[in-house]
Amino acid sequence: MCATTDPPHNRKDNSKDMHMSDALLSAPVAIAADVAAATLLAVASTRLKKESDSGLIPLMGVAGAFIFAAQMLNFSIPGTGSSGHIIGGVLLAALLGPWAGFLTLASVIIIQCLVFADGGLMALGCNLINMGAITTLVAYPMIFRPLLKFPAPAWKIMAVSVLACVVGLEGGALMVTFETALSGITALPTGDFLLLMTAIHLAIGICEGIATGVVLIFVGKSAPSLLNREQAHKLSGRKIRNIVIGFAAAALLFAGILAFFASSDPDGLEWSIMKLTGTPDLPATDTGSIAQGAAAVQTATSVMPDYGNSFSGIAGVCMVIILVWGLSGFLLKLRKSRQTA
C-alpha cells in the first residue's frame, strides 16, 4: 500500500502495499506518528523483557523472516488490476502474542524502510502504526483472541482469521486516509480516496485472512501448544527446533524462489491513487528540512533499493532474523541480569 516519493537518487517508486510514503505526509503529522510509534515500541520492549522466555526468541526471528518473505509475494486481485500482499500482524500475534508480534513486525518494517527504501523514512512512524499496531494490538486482541480459543475446528479458525485480517487492513486503510487528509499536502479528495482504499483492502484482507487461516490450521495440527498462550512456554526444545526449521525453510522458499513470480500490478494504495490521478506516483511537495533530511538518510541507508538485487529477499530474511534475535536476546539478558542482581 504505498506511493513513494522519488528520493534524491531518482529511483522509481516500487514500494509495497500498506507502506506510506513521505509524499502523503506533512512533517507535523509524521513527527506525531513517530512519537506514538516510539512509545509503542518502548512498551513492547518492556513487556517482552518481563514476559518472554528463551524459547520465544528463535520463534520471533524466523516468524519475522517468514513475514518479510511473504510480503514480497504480491498477489493479483481479480477484476481490479491491483495487487496486494499479506501484512502478517494477526498471524504474528497469534503465534507470539500481541506485543512480541508487534515488535517482530516493527523490525520487518524498519529493515524494509532503511535497507530497501520500502516506504518513506519520514513516514516510518505511520507505517509502524498502520501496519503493525492496528493488526497486532487492535485486530488481534479485539477480534481474533476473544472469538477464537484453541483448539478450534478448522472452519472457525478460517472464519475468525478472515474477520480479524479484514478489520486490521481496513483499519490501516482508514489510518492512511486520515493521515493523508490531516497532512493536507495532496489534492486527493478524501471521500473518494477513502472509498477506494477501503474497497480494495477489503479484498486484500480476505486474501490475507485465508492465508493466515491456512498457516494457523497447519500449526494447530503440528504444534497446538504454540497457539495456546498459557501452554506455549511448555514446548519442548525439539518441537521449537522443528517449528524454527519449518518457518526458516518457508521464508527461504518465498524469498528465494516464489517472490520472482509476484504480481507487478499496482498495490492497493498505488491503485487508489492511480484511480484518482491517473498515475500511481505522487510528486514530493514537502521541501522542508525534515523531509529533505529524511530522504537523504534513506538514500544513504538503502543499499538495495526497490529489492533490485537478486539476493535481496534472502538478505532481508537474514537481516530480520539477526535484528529480532539480537534485540530480543538483549532484552532477555537484561531481564536475567536484573533478576540476579
Side-chain angles (χ1 to χ4, degrees):
M1 203 197 259
C2 26
T4 321
T5 64
D6 290 332
H9 57 323
N10 294 321
R11 70 176 177 82
K12 185 181 182 298
D13 174 33
N14 188 33
S15 31
K16 299 286 185 178
D17 192 47
M18 192 68 88
H19 297 71
M20 285 187 78
S21 73
D22 295 348
L24 297 173
L25 294 172
S26 65
V29 172
I31 292 172
D34 289 341
V35 172
T39 301
L40 289 174
L41 286 172
V43 174
S45 298
T46 301
R47 294 290 295 267
L48 185 67
K49 184 170 61 178
K50 290 181 178 179
E51 301 173 2
S52 68
D53 57 76
S54 57
L56 183 65
I57 294 175
L59 294 177
M60 288 176 62
V62 294
F66 173 76
I67 294 301
F68 175 90
Q71 285 191 12
M72 298 184 69
L73 189 60
N74 277 43
F75 49 83
S76 295
I77 306 300
T80 66
S82 178
S83 68
H85 67 71
I86 74 166
I87 301 301
V90 172
L91 177 59
L92 287 175
L95 295 173
L96 307 170
W99 289 105
F102 172 69
L103 201 59
T104 301
L105 186 52
S107 299
V108 172
I109 296 169
I110 289 170
I111 288 176
Q112 289 171 333
C113 175
L114 293 178
V115 179
F116 301 97
D118 195 353
L121 180 57
M122 194 172 75
L124 180 57
C126 288
N127 289 325
L128 289 172
I129 292 170
N130 303 344
M131 298 172 63
I134 296 298
T135 56
T136 62
L137 304 180
V138 177
Y140 173 78
M142 293 183 63
I143 305 296
F144 187 95
R145 192 168 184 179
L147 294 180
L148 190 60
K149 304 296 182 184
F150 291 96
W155 69 265
K156 189 171 184 180
I157 295 175
M158 185 64 70
V160 175
S161 296
V162 169
L163 178 60
C165 288
V166 166
V167 169
L169 266 74
E170 291 287 66
L174 287 170
M175 288 298 296
V176 169
T177 307
F178 171 74
E179 291 154 355
T180 301
L182 189 62
S183 295
I185 65 172
T186 72
L188 296 174
T190 301
D192 293 339
F193 188 38
L194 176 62
L195 180 62
L196 289 168
M197 286 287 286
T198 52
I200 195 63
H201 284 92
L202 172 62
I204 296 172
I206 292 173
C207 293
E208 171 163 0
I210 293 172
T212 298
V214 169
V215 174
L216 291 179
I217 290 170
F218 176 79
V219 173
K221 292 180 178 179
S222 57
S225 296
L226 182 60
L227 301 179
N228 189 319
R229 297 264 59 82
E230 289 72 29
Q231 297 180 10
H233 68 281
K234 298 180 181 179
L235 284 169
S236 66
R238 181 178 180 180
K239 180 66 70 172
I240 291 175
R241 184 169 60 253
N242 290 340
I243 296 171
V244 167
I245 292 173
F247 273 111
L252 292 174
L253 174 64
F254 275 44
I257 299 177
L258 297 182
F260 289 99
F261 301 96
S263 171
S264 60
D265 290 336
D267 61 43
L269 179 53
E270 291 173 333
W271 177 87
S272 299
I273 293 173
M274 187 170 64
K275 287 290 186 180
L276 296 174
T277 67
T279 175
D281 302 319
L282 287 177
T285 56
D286 190 341
T287 57
S289 58
I290 294 178
Q292 291 182 346
V297 170
Q298 189 176 39
T299 300
T301 62
S302 56
V303 295
M304 287 181 275
D306 296 334
Y307 306 89
N309 190 296
S310 300
F311 300 99
S312 57
I314 302 297
V317 164
C318 295
M319 290 177 193
V320 170
I321 292 176
I322 291 171
L323 178 59
V324 174
W325 282 359
L327 176 60
S328 53
F330 170 76
L331 293 173
L332 183 61
K333 185 177 180 179
L334 186 61
R335 184 188 71 179
K336 290 182 177 179
S337 64
R338 290 184 176 180
Q339 289 175 343
T340 57

